[in-house]
Amino acid sequence: MTGEGSHDFARVRRIVKTDEFSSVFRLRPAQKTAHFVLYTRPNALPHARLGVVAAKRFAPRAVTRNTIKRITRELFRTTGLPPVDCIVRLSRPVNGKDGPATNRALKAALKVELTRLFASQQRRPAPVDAP
């Protein structure tokens, strides 16, 4: 799989190396919502790349963290973004250990927030840095 399709999430569309995460984190956040912070950096690739950070202190259950990652990846796949490196970081607690790990309302709220984050990047074209 080459990762050139528009609706896939192949390895070339992921930010996986620590150095890549660090280079995007060094920049100021592009957008903030109630629970998430989006960091972006233009890249020279023909497609966007995604990294997701969901800390255990903000989502204590693995089920919740995996749900966040799954929703984020799905919206990233279906949203046409310019060639940027995006990191979505969970910045506030979404639920505790006492309530349900996930529910329909939580999933819907997360989807609305993440859709708003990605839509903000669709509107403004990102300039590509010259080498």
Side-chain angles (χ1 to χ4, degrees), residues 6-45:
S6 61
H7 294 289
D8 63 356
F9 196 60
R11 188 168 177 89
V12 297
R13 294 194 183 272
R14 297 181 214 155
I15 299 174
V16 291
K17 296 181 181 176
T18 304
D19 293 344
E20 295 169 343
F21 272 94
S22 297
S23 67
V24 178
F25 275 134
R26 267 186 240 132
L27 303 173
R28 287 188 337 187
Q31 184 79 19
K32 293 180 182 181
T33 62
H35 295 100
F36 296 99
V37 177
L38 175 70
Y39 296 87
T40 59
R41 182 180 134 228
N43 68 30
L45 302 171

Side-chain angles (χ1 to χ4, degrees), residues 4-98:
E4 297 305 319
S6 61
H7 294 289
D8 63 356
F9 196 60
R11 188 168 177 89
V12 297
R13 294 194 183 272
R14 297 181 214 155
I15 299 174
V16 291
K17 296 181 181 176
T18 304
D19 293 344
E20 295 169 343
F21 272 94
S22 297
S23 67
V24 178
F25 275 134
R26 267 186 240 132
L27 303 173
R28 287 188 337 187
Q31 184 79 19
K32 293 180 182 181
T33 62
H35 295 100
F36 296 99
V37 177
L38 175 70
Y39 296 87
T40 59
R41 182 180 134 228
N43 68 30
L45 302 171
H47 52 77
R49 297 190 309 166
L50 176 70
V52 183
V53 179
K56 194 182 283 189
R57 68 181 173 159
F58 296 131
R61 292 183 172 171
V63 173
T64 308
R65 292 191 305 275
N66 291 336
T67 299
I68 290 166
K69 292 175 190 177
R70 192 175 304 115
I71 291 170
T72 304
R73 287 190 305 258
E74 182 61 31
L75 290 172
F76 175 79
R77 276 193 293 264
T78 58
T79 305
L81 293 175
V84 292
D85 288 344
C86 297
I87 294 180
V88 175
R89 182 176 62 91
L90 184 63
S91 62
R92 291 200 170 72
V94 290
N95 62 6
K97 287 186 177 181
D98 51 347

